[in-house]
Amino acid sequence: MDYIAALFPPAVMAAGFAWLIVTIIKSQGGANKYKEDAAVDAAFAARAAGNGENRADSAV
């Protein structure tokens, strides 16, 4: 019975990790892909605008 107790936690973790990977792969693309891409582009644009101001302030 000790071998069952020893193998149970790794088996549960492996199943959970497999479920996580499958969920990530399935959620890629689909109907919301353009919304996600737009949100990421907006975040990058906001960060780039913020960094530009910080660089100008630090140069003065």
Side-chain angles (χ1 to χ4, degrees):
M1 283 309 270
D2 288 338
Y3 62 90
I4 293 174
L7 292 177
F8 184 72
V12 170
M13 291 299 291
F17 185 69
W19 172 80
L20 177 67
I21 297 300
V22 168
T23 302
I24 289 171
I25 291 172
K26 283 186 176 181
S27 67
Q28 299 298 310
N32 293 327
K33 180 172 178 31
Y34 298 109
K35 290 181 187 176
E36 293 169 1
D37 289 346
V40 170
D41 290 342
F44 280 143
R47 184 172 181 186
N51 285 342
E53 292 173 3
N54 290 340
R55 288 185 193 147
D57 291 339
S58 64
V60 172

